[in-house]
Amino acid sequence: MAIRAELLEALAERLGAVDGELARGREAPWLAQRDALIRRLRGLAARLERAEEPLLVVLAGGTGAGKSTLANTLAGRAVSATGVRRPTTTAPAAIGRPEDLDRVLGAGVLADGAGAAVETAPSPGFPEGLVVVDAPDVDSVETANRAATERLLEVADVWVWLVTPRTYADEAGMAYLRRAAQLDAATVVVLSQASAAEAEEILPDLRVKLADAGHRIGAQATELYTLAQADPRHEQLPAEAAAAVVERIRGLAPPEERARQRQRTVLGAAGALPGELDELLEAAEAERRAVAVLEEQLGEAYGAVAEQVLGELQEGVPLRQEVLQRWRQLVGQGWLQQRLERAAGRLPSGVRGWIPGLGRRAEAIQQEAATEAQEGIAGLVREALDHAAARTETAWIRQPAGRAVLSLHTPPRAAGVVAQRQAAAALVGQWRDRVAEHVATIGQAKLTRARRATTGINATFTSAALVLFTLSGGLTAGEVALTAAGSTTTHAVLSRMLGERNLQQLIHEIRAELRERVDAAAAQEGEHYRRLLQGAAPGAEALAAVRALRDELAAAAP
């Protein structure tokens, strides 16, 4: 065959890496599909590597189809329980020569989990190279029974499917037969417990239904047999009633027949794999797209934080009205100009308190305004970060994938790891210090004077005046009020101190500095949510590796 066992093994290994936390958390159907594909790939690889291994024939069908009675008839003794209780077969029973059972169960296709609960019925007189398994009912109410049968059918070389006049058209059974046709599995369909009249009536309809399910009827395709209605003796069918079916199953044992049946099943299963892999890859890609939507929503929420902070500051600095009013009086009376002139060295150091009635009270007002402005900005930053967290979680809750992510982890907002007061205060404090550096070095003509006055400028520029003026480009609601309060305005004082051009440069730089710091904080806090998405969906590399091997398999398959 052109298909190599190494290719199938490599594909099974790569499929194992197609995983995702979201899929595991909600037990996504494509995970079960992946696991089934891995088992089939390894089963096919085992068949290719061990061509001389006994042929595995699985007797399957619905409740009361006569599987166990046929198994006993094949063995020539009662090896599988029969009766009216349903389901009767609760554990698979394997019939074959002791050495063949050892090979299949010890190192063969049933060694990797599919045969974990298989009971054995060693039969020294059974045909060499043949193992027959009586599987539990496919319509059993017991999930474990159905799962055991499905795993057996995944690794079977030949399906022997039993139906009755009552069950032959049941959808539960036809679904399995459609699957057999899709895999082009070697299939023998047996109509059991039918009288001659029933068989004559049902067989034409059964042929039509099998054809509709994708089967071709004939010697080199799906084979159709009848088990005449007969009373069992010692839980076995009379030899004359079961002769044709028993002979056909035993006739699978010769090496050339085993090779023919196995080749058909392997090639058929390999031919179906690319399409099944496409379905799996699409499901995994859909998971990746769902997570990408969550990442996009996260980016939109946290990408808007800096704009929100600067936009709110544009409307006016967050100061209480009484503090703002006292600050307006200071600026309007010339106190700010005095401080700036003194800081720049334009007033003798001995000149004190030239604005009557202020003194220490003015210093206290300035400090109060500066502190409140800093706390107000920190509050805006924290509120914007908290809004981004809330916006992210709200958007995620509206998405199935987002709800799954938040259900698997403690949401960062609830955990208290985002929008922390201390972090926001530290950000604004660092920004304030950086602003002082900008002021101390701006304007080449005034550089020496500015550097000499750094301490005084730092004390002044970290006050409310800095915020009121520079954050909005010189015309916040607060600055308008200041302008109306007196002839000496923040703008006039700062322009006189630094020059209009330098002032505009300062405005631009410190706004950009604040934006940069808030953007960095938003990115850092967004990582708390981004970490929740790591491993949530299958990785792109894992999918690419599977897709490459899938293409190689498609090229090799008939």
Side-chain angles (χ1 to χ4, degrees):
M1 300 180 196
I3 298 171
R4 297 174 292 106
E6 295 83 357
L7 172 59
L8 299 176
E9 286 286 1
L11 189 48
E13 182 178 354
R14 293 294 187 179
L15 271 178
V18 177
D19 197 8
E21 186 180 47
L22 287 184
R24 291 195 307 274
R26 71 174 195 279
E27 297 182 350
W30 68 263
L31 277 184
Q33 181 186 4
R34 178 204 65 181
D35 293 343
L37 281 170
I38 290 172
R39 290 194 300 270
R40 282 178 47 215
L41 285 164
R42 287 179 173 154
L44 292 172
R47 291 189 185 97
L48 292 174
E49 290 173 339
R50 298 188 287 273
E52 299 304 315
E53 185 174 292
L55 195 74
L56 181 65
V57 178
V58 174
L59 307 181
T63 300
K67 301 182 298 297
S68 298
T69 303
L70 178 58
N72 294 337
T73 304
L74 285 165
R77 61 191 176 92
V79 297
S80 192
T82 64
V84 296
R85 182 175 61 86
R86 299 290 181 258
T88 301
T89 305
T90 56
I95 308 163
R97 293 191 175 204
E99 61 273 22
D100 286 340
L101 291 174
D102 288 343
R103 291 177 66 185
V104 171
L105 290 167
V109 293
L110 294 184
D112 187 21
V118 173
E119 298 175 355
T120 59
S123 302
F126 210 67
E128 183 180 356
L130 186 66
V131 170
V132 175
V133 178
D134 177 18
D137 303 333
V138 295
D139 55 358
S140 171
V141 295
E142 299 292 338
T143 303
N145 289 354
R146 296 196 306 273
T149 297
E150 289 169 5
R151 295 194 68 177
L152 287 167
L153 292 172
E154 288 172 3
V155 296
D157 293 305
V158 178
W159 296 27
V160 176
W161 194 267
L162 282 84
V163 298
T164 69
R166 180 178 56 84
T167 65
Y168 80 94
D170 287 355
E171 174 56 27
M174 293 307 299
Y176 283 94
L177 288 170
R178 283 194 293 272
R179 178 65 174 155
Q182 180 188 10
L183 297 175
D184 196 21
T187 307
V188 177
V189 178
V190 179
L191 174 63
S192 71
Q193 304 174 26
S195 66
E198 288 175 324
E200 185 178 358
E201 179 184 354
I202 290 171
L203 286 174
D205 189 42
L206 180 54
R207 287 190 176 91
V208 170
K209 293 188 181 305
L210 287 171
D212 290 343
H215 288 267
R216 293 174 293 108
I217 308 298
Q220 301 300 316
T222 297
E223 303 175 42
L224 184 57
Y225 289 84
T226 301
L227 272 176
Q229 190 175 38
D231 293 329
R233 294 194 295 269
H234 306 295
E235 300 186 56
Q236 303 172 50
L237 291 169
E240 63 275 13
V245 175
V246 170
E247 182 180 349
R248 181 65 190 103
I249 294 175
R250 285 175 169 268
L252 297 170
E256 64 276 8
E257 182 65 10
R258 296 205 309 266
R260 188 178 72 83
Q261 297 292 343
R262 178 166 288 144
Q263 181 179 30
R264 175 185 169 183
T265 297
V266 169
L267 291 178
L273 282 170
E276 294 180 84
L277 288 167
D278 287 341
E279 291 179 11
L280 176 66
L281 289 169
E282 173 54 32
E285 288 289 2
E287 200 106 317
R288 286 183 55 79
R289 289 193 294 271
V291 171
V293 169
L294 302 184
E295 289 178 340
E296 183 179 352
Q297 291 171 334
L298 171 63
E300 289 175 355
Y302 276 92
V305 169
E307 199 61 43
Q308 179 181 339
V309 170
L310 292 174
E312 292 188 18
L313 286 172
Q314 186 85 9
E315 300 300 321
V317 70
L319 290 176
R320 285 177 292 123
Q321 285 300 313
E322 60 270 25
V323 176
L324 181 59
Q325 182 61 34
R326 287 196 294 272
W327 178 249
R328 289 170 180 166
Q329 292 174 355
L330 287 181
V331 175
Q333 293 171 359
W335 182 84
L336 176 60
Q337 181 175 356
Q338 179 198 27
R339 291 296 307 274
L340 290 172
E341 295 286 353
R342 182 184 297 156
R346 293 181 180 176
L347 289 179
S349 58
V351 177
R352 304 283 182 187
W354 67 298
I355 303 175
L358 293 177
R360 292 183 179 179
R361 186 171 67 84
E363 297 285 352
I365 292 173
Q366 184 269 333
Q367 184 59 45
E368 180 184 19
T371 299
E372 186 158 325
Q374 183 171 333
E375 290 176 352
I377 299 172
L380 290 180
V381 170
R382 181 175 175 275
E383 287 174 9
L385 291 171
D386 186 63
H387 177 73
R391 179 180 170 186
T392 298
E393 293 184 17
T394 299
W396 284 12
I397 286 171
R398 292 173 180 155
Q399 304 287 334
R403 289 195 297 273
V405 168
L406 294 175
S407 70
L408 293 171
H409 304 276
T410 301
R413 197 161 175 247
V417 296
V418 294
Q420 295 178 328
R421 293 182 185 277
Q422 186 175 358
L427 180 152
V428 175
Q430 292 164 2
W431 170 70
R432 175 203 61 200
D433 294 341
R434 181 61 179 151
V435 167
E437 295 177 16
H438 279 299
V439 173
T441 56
I442 199 166
Q444 289 297 319
K446 306 172 187 294
L447 182 59
T448 303
R449 218 170 29 245
R451 282 179 175 167
R452 192 167 60 238
T454 297
T455 302
I457 291 172
N458 183 47
T460 302
F461 275 67
T462 55
S463 69
L466 172 72
V467 180
L468 282 167
F469 185 74
T470 59
L471 286 175
S472 65
L475 204 61
T476 63
E479 175 62 19
V480 172
L482 290 180
T483 303
S487 58
T488 305
T489 68
T490 315
H491 190 163
V493 174
L494 296 177
S495 294
R496 192 177 304 118
M497 173 64 186
L498 298 171
E500 182 63 28
R501 183 174 180 181
N502 287 338
L503 178 58
Q504 295 304 319
Q505 181 182 344
L506 173 65
I507 293 168
H508 173 77
E509 288 180 358
I510 69 171
R511 283 176 64 85
E513 179 77 26
L514 182 59
R515 179 184 291 276
E516 182 179 337
R517 289 182 181 275
V518 174
D519 277 337
Q524 184 176 0
E525 295 215 351
E527 280 301 311
H528 290 291
Y529 289 95
R530 193 161 281 109
R531 280 194 290 271
L532 302 186
L533 302 180
Q534 293 175 357
E541 291 184 5
L543 295 183
V546 170
R547 191 170 286 109
L549 291 173
R550 175 259 178 231
D551 292 344
E552 187 177 345
L553 177 62

PDB file of all heavy atoms in Angstrom, residues 313-331:
ATOM      1  N   LEU A 313     -10.237  64.775  31.152  1.00  0.00           N
ATOM      2  CA  LEU A 313      -9.446  65.903  31.626  1.00  0.00           C
ATOM      3  C   LEU A 313      -9.671  67.130  30.751  1.00  0.00           C
ATOM      4  O   LEU A 313      -9.561  68.271  31.217  1.00  0.00           O
ATOM      5  CB  LEU A 313      -7.961  65.533  31.638  1.00  0.00           C
ATOM      6  CG  LEU A 313      -7.542  64.577  32.764  1.00  0.00           C
ATOM      7  CD1 LEU A 313      -6.113  64.117  32.566  1.00  0.00           C
ATOM      8  CD2 LEU A 313      -7.682  65.261  34.117  1.00  0.00           C
ATOM      9  N   GLN A 314      -9.978  66.915  29.472  1.00  0.00           N
ATOM     10  CA  GLN A 314     -10.257  68.027  28.569  1.00  0.00           C
ATOM     11  C   GLN A 314     -11.449  68.857  29.060  1.00  0.00           C
ATOM     12  O   GLN A 314     -11.530  70.057  28.822  1.00  0.00           O
ATOM     13  CB  GLN A 314     -10.572  67.469  27.179  1.00  0.00           C
ATOM     14  CG  GLN A 314     -10.741  68.506  26.093  1.00  0.00           C
ATOM     15  CD  GLN A 314      -9.419  68.907  25.480  1.00  0.00           C
ATOM     16  OE1 GLN A 314      -8.395  68.299  25.749  1.00  0.00           O
ATOM     17  NE2 GLN A 314      -9.440  69.950  24.664  1.00  0.00           N
ATOM     18  N   GLU A 315     -12.346  68.179  29.744  1.00  0.00           N
ATOM     19  CA  GLU A 315     -13.527  68.863  30.249  1.00  0.00           C
ATOM     20  C   GLU A 315     -13.244  69.661  31.515  1.00  0.00           C
ATOM     21  O   GLU A 315     -14.076  70.441  31.953  1.00  0.00           O
ATOM     22  CB  GLU A 315     -14.630  67.842  30.548  1.00  0.00           C
ATOM     23  CG  GLU A 315     -15.061  67.042  29.338  1.00  0.00           C
ATOM     24  CD  GLU A 315     -15.595  67.934  28.238  1.00  0.00           C
ATOM     25  OE1 GLU A 315     -16.297  68.902  28.590  1.00  0.00           O
ATOM     26  OE2 GLU A 315     -15.305  67.678  27.061  1.00  0.00           O
ATOM     27  N   GLY A 316     -12.083  69.463  32.093  1.00  0.00           N
ATOM     28  CA  GLY A 316     -11.741  70.189  33.317  1.00  0.00           C
ATOM     29  C   GLY A 316     -11.171  69.267  34.361  1.00  0.00           C
ATOM     30  O   GLY A 316     -11.574  68.119  34.485  1.00  0.00           O
ATOM     31  N   VAL A 317     -10.198  69.776  35.125  1.00  0.00           N
ATOM     32  CA  VAL A 317      -9.540  68.942  36.118  1.00  0.00           C
ATOM     33  C   VAL A 317     -10.510  68.575  37.240  1.00  0.00           C
ATOM     34  O   VAL A 317     -11.375  69.371  37.602  1.00  0.00           O
ATOM     35  CB  VAL A 317      -8.312  69.671  36.700  1.00  0.00           C
ATOM     36  CG1 VAL A 317      -8.749  70.830  37.561  1.00  0.00           C
ATOM     37  CG2 VAL A 317      -7.415  68.725  37.477  1.00  0.00           C
ATOM     38  N   PRO A 318     -10.402  67.398  37.780  1.00  0.00           N
ATOM     39  CA  PRO A 318     -11.335  66.983  38.844  1.00  0.00           C
ATOM     40  C   PRO A 318     -10.995  67.603  40.196  1.00  0.00           C
ATOM     41  O   PRO A 318     -10.380  66.972  41.048  1.00  0.00           O
ATOM     42  CB  PRO A 318     -11.163  65.460  38.866  1.00  0.00           C
ATOM     43  CG  PRO A 318      -9.767  65.226  38.385  1.00  0.00           C
ATOM     44  CD  PRO A 318      -9.494  66.298  37.382  1.00  0.00           C
ATOM     45  N   LEU A 319     -11.387  68.843  40.398  1.00  0.00           N
ATOM     46  CA  LEU A 319     -11.199  69.518  41.689  1.00  0.00           C
ATOM     47  C   LEU A 319     -12.566  69.864  42.275  1.00  0.00           C
ATOM     48  O   LEU A 319     -13.498  70.196  41.544  1.00  0.00           O
ATOM     49  CB  LEU A 319     -10.416  70.822  41.526  1.00  0.00           C
ATOM     50  CG  LEU A 319      -8.926  70.721  41.155  1.00  0.00           C
ATOM     51  CD1 LEU A 319      -8.379  72.118  40.941  1.00  0.00           C
ATOM     52  CD2 LEU A 319      -8.153  70.023  42.250  1.00  0.00           C
ATOM     53  N   ARG A 320     -12.656  69.785  43.584  1.00  0.00           N
ATOM     54  CA  ARG A 320     -13.886  70.238  44.230  1.00  0.00           C
ATOM     55  C   ARG A 320     -14.032  71.751  44.003  1.00  0.00           C
ATOM     56  O   ARG A 320     -13.050  72.473  43.907  1.00  0.00           O
ATOM     57  CB  ARG A 320     -13.832  69.927  45.722  1.00  0.00           C
ATOM     58  CG  ARG A 320     -14.046  68.468  46.045  1.00  0.00           C
ATOM     59  CD  ARG A 320     -13.927  68.175  47.530  1.00  0.00           C
ATOM     60  NE  ARG A 320     -12.550  68.342  47.995  1.00  0.00           N
ATOM     61  CZ  ARG A 320     -12.185  69.156  48.968  1.00  0.00           C
ATOM     62  NH1 ARG A 320     -13.087  69.909  49.583  1.00  0.00           N
ATOM     63  NH2 ARG A 320     -10.930  69.235  49.355  1.00  0.00           N
ATOM     64  N   GLN A 321     -15.262  72.213  43.934  1.00  0.00           N
ATOM     65  CA  GLN A 321     -15.514  73.608  43.581  1.00  0.00           C
ATOM     66  C   GLN A 321     -14.872  74.580  44.561  1.00  0.00           C
ATOM     67  O   GLN A 321     -14.325  75.606  44.159  1.00  0.00           O
ATOM     68  CB  GLN A 321     -17.035  73.857  43.531  1.00  0.00           C
ATOM     69  CG  GLN A 321     -17.709  73.279  42.296  1.00  0.00           C
ATOM     70  CD  GLN A 321     -17.147  73.874  41.017  1.00  0.00           C
ATOM     71  OE1 GLN A 321     -16.997  75.103  40.898  1.00  0.00           O
ATOM     72  NE2 GLN A 321     -16.814  73.006  40.067  1.00  0.00           N
ATOM     73  N   GLU A 322     -14.902  74.249  45.856  1.00  0.00           N
ATOM     74  CA  GLU A 322     -14.325  75.189  46.807  1.00  0.00           C
ATOM     75  C   GLU A 322     -12.806  75.298  46.667  1.00  0.00           C
ATOM     76  O   GLU A 322     -12.220  76.382  46.806  1.00  0.00           O
ATOM     77  CB  GLU A 322     -14.702  74.801  48.251  1.00  0.00           C
ATOM     78  CG  GLU A 322     -14.231  73.415  48.684  1.00  0.00           C
ATOM     79  CD  GLU A 322     -15.247  72.324  48.398  1.00  0.00           C
ATOM     80  OE1 GLU A 322     -16.088  72.504  47.482  1.00  0.00           O
ATOM     81  OE2 GLU A 322     -15.198  71.277  49.075  1.00  0.00           O
ATOM     82  N   VAL A 323     -12.173  74.151  46.341  1.00  0.00           N
ATOM     83  CA  VAL A 323     -10.724  74.182  46.122  1.00  0.00           C
ATOM     84  C   VAL A 323     -10.417  74.959  44.852  1.00  0.00           C
ATOM     85  O   VAL A 323      -9.484  75.771  44.803  1.00  0.00           O
ATOM     86  CB  VAL A 323     -10.165  72.744  46.044  1.00  0.00           C
ATOM     87  CG1 VAL A 323      -8.679  72.767  45.711  1.00  0.00           C
ATOM     88  CG2 VAL A 323     -10.416  72.001  47.341  1.00  0.00           C
ATOM     89  N   LEU A 324     -11.194  74.701  43.796  1.00  0.00           N
ATOM     90  CA  LEU A 324     -10.988  75.402  42.537  1.00  0.00           C
ATOM     91  C   LEU A 324     -11.170  76.914  42.716  1.00  0.00           C
ATOM     92  O   LEU A 324     -10.395  77.713  42.177  1.00  0.00           O
ATOM     93  CB  LEU A 324     -11.971  74.869  41.487  1.00  0.00           C
ATOM     94  CG  LEU A 324     -11.880  75.473  40.084  1.00  0.00           C
ATOM     95  CD1 LEU A 324     -10.500  75.254  39.484  1.00  0.00           C
ATOM     96  CD2 LEU A 324     -12.963  74.873  39.186  1.00  0.00           C
ATOM     97  N   GLN A 325     -12.151  77.318  43.509  1.00  0.00           N
ATOM     98  CA  GLN A 325     -12.402  78.739  43.715  1.00  0.00           C
ATOM     99  C   GLN A 325     -11.235  79.403  44.437  1.00  0.00           C
ATOM    100  O   GLN A 325     -10.807  80.504  44.065  1.00  0.00           O
ATOM    101  CB  GLN A 325     -13.694  78.927  44.530  1.00  0.00           C
ATOM    102  CG  GLN A 325     -14.074  80.376  44.755  1.00  0.00           C
ATOM    103  CD  GLN A 325     -14.319  81.106  43.442  1.00  0.00           C
ATOM    104  OE1 GLN A 325     -14.815  80.526  42.492  1.00  0.00           O
ATOM    105  NE2 GLN A 325     -13.935  82.378  43.387  1.00  0.00           N
ATOM    106  N   ARG A 326     -10.715  78.739  45.446  1.00  0.00           N
ATOM    107  CA  ARG A 326      -9.560  79.321  46.170  1.00  0.00           C
ATOM    108  C   ARG A 326      -8.354  79.424  45.242  1.00  0.00           C
ATOM    109  O   ARG A 326      -7.596  80.392  45.298  1.00  0.00           O
ATOM    110  CB  ARG A 326      -9.236  78.456  47.397  1.00  0.00           C
ATOM    111  CG  ARG A 326     -10.239  78.592  48.522  1.00  0.00           C
ATOM    112  CD  ARG A 326      -9.710  78.046  49.834  1.00  0.00           C
ATOM    113  NE  ARG A 326      -9.501  76.615  49.816  1.00  0.00           N
ATOM    114  CZ  ARG A 326     -10.443  75.703  50.131  1.00  0.00           C
ATOM    115  NH1 ARG A 326     -11.663  76.119  50.469  1.00  0.00           N
ATOM    116  NH2 ARG A 326     -10.184  74.434  50.111  1.00  0.00           N
ATOM    117  N   TRP A 327      -8.195  78.425  44.368  1.00  0.00           N
ATOM    118  CA  TRP A 327      -7.057  78.460  43.444  1.00  0.00           C
ATOM    119  C   TRP A 327      -7.214  79.594  42.430  1.00  0.00           C
ATOM    120  O   TRP A 327      -6.252  80.283  42.092  1.00  0.00           O
ATOM    121  CB  TRP A 327      -6.946  77.103  42.734  1.00  0.00           C
ATOM    122  CG  TRP A 327      -5.839  77.071  41.727  1.00  0.00           C
ATOM    123  CD1 TRP A 327      -5.959  77.009  40.387  1.00  0.00           C
ATOM    124  CD2 TRP A 327      -4.435  77.151  41.998  1.00  0.00           C
ATOM    125  NE1 TRP A 327      -4.743  77.034  39.788  1.00  0.00           N
ATOM    126  CE2 TRP A 327      -3.769  77.111  40.766  1.00  0.00           C
ATOM    127  CE3 TRP A 327      -3.680  77.259  43.170  1.00  0.00           C
ATOM    128  CZ2 TRP A 327      -2.388  77.170  40.655  1.00  0.00           C
ATOM    129  CZ3 TRP A 327      -2.302  77.304  43.056  1.00  0.00           C
ATOM    130  CH2 TRP A 327      -1.671  77.261  41.822  1.00  0.00           C
ATOM    131  N   ARG A 328      -8.418  79.807  41.957  1.00  0.00           N
ATOM    132  CA  ARG A 328      -8.660  80.906  41.029  1.00  0.00           C
ATOM    133  C   ARG A 328      -8.260  82.251  41.656  1.00  0.00           C
ATOM    134  O   ARG A 328      -7.680  83.114  41.013  1.00  0.00           O
ATOM    135  CB  ARG A 328     -10.144  80.957  40.664  1.00  0.00           C
ATOM    136  CG  ARG A 328     -10.623  79.838  39.775  1.00  0.00           C
ATOM    137  CD  ARG A 328     -12.134  79.870  39.685  1.00  0.00           C
ATOM    138  NE  ARG A 328     -12.659  78.801  38.843  1.00  0.00           N
ATOM    139  CZ  ARG A 328     -13.920  78.446  38.798  1.00  0.00           C
ATOM    140  NH1 ARG A 328     -14.804  79.091  39.558  1.00  0.00           N
ATOM    141  NH2 ARG A 328     -14.318  77.474  38.012  1.00  0.00           N
ATOM    142  N   GLN A 329      -8.582  82.411  42.927  1.00  0.00           N
ATOM    143  CA  GLN A 329      -8.258  83.680  43.604  1.00  0.00           C
ATOM    144  C   GLN A 329      -6.754  83.883  43.665  1.00  0.00           C
ATOM    145  O   GLN A 329      -6.250  84.981  43.439  1.00  0.00           O
ATOM    146  CB  GLN A 329      -8.861  83.686  45.007  1.00  0.00           C
ATOM    147  CG  GLN A 329     -10.383  83.745  45.016  1.00  0.00           C
ATOM    148  CD  GLN A 329     -10.970  83.593  46.411  1.00  0.00           C
ATOM    149  OE1 GLN A 329     -10.231  83.343  47.372  1.00  0.00           O
ATOM    150  NE2 GLN A 329     -12.284  83.733  46.518  1.00  0.00           N
ATOM    151  N   LEU A 330      -6.023  82.814  43.963  1.00  0.00           N
ATOM    152  CA  LEU A 330      -4.566  82.934  44.029  1.00  0.00           C
ATOM    153  C   LEU A 330      -3.985  83.360  42.691  1.00  0.00           C
ATOM    154  O   LEU A 330      -3.143  84.265  42.610  1.00  0.00           O
ATOM    155  CB  LEU A 330      -3.939  81.608  44.461  1.00  0.00           C
ATOM    156  CG  LEU A 330      -4.098  81.184  45.916  1.00  0.00           C
ATOM    157  CD1 LEU A 330      -3.391  79.861  46.148  1.00  0.00           C
ATOM    158  CD2 LEU A 330      -3.537  82.240  46.859  1.00  0.00           C
ATOM    159  N   VAL A 331      -4.441  82.683  41.609  1.00  0.00           N
ATOM    160  CA  VAL A 331      -3.900  83.010  40.287  1.00  0.00           C
ATOM    161  C   VAL A 331      -4.295  84.427  39.893  1.00  0.00           C
ATOM    162  O   VAL A 331      -3.490  85.201  39.378  1.00  0.00           O
ATOM    163  CB  VAL A 331      -4.384  81.972  39.250  1.00  0.00           C
ATOM    164  CG1 VAL A 331      -3.933  82.381  37.846  1.00  0.00           C
ATOM    165  CG2 VAL A 331      -3.855  80.592  39.603  1.00  0.00           C
TER     166      VAL A 331
END
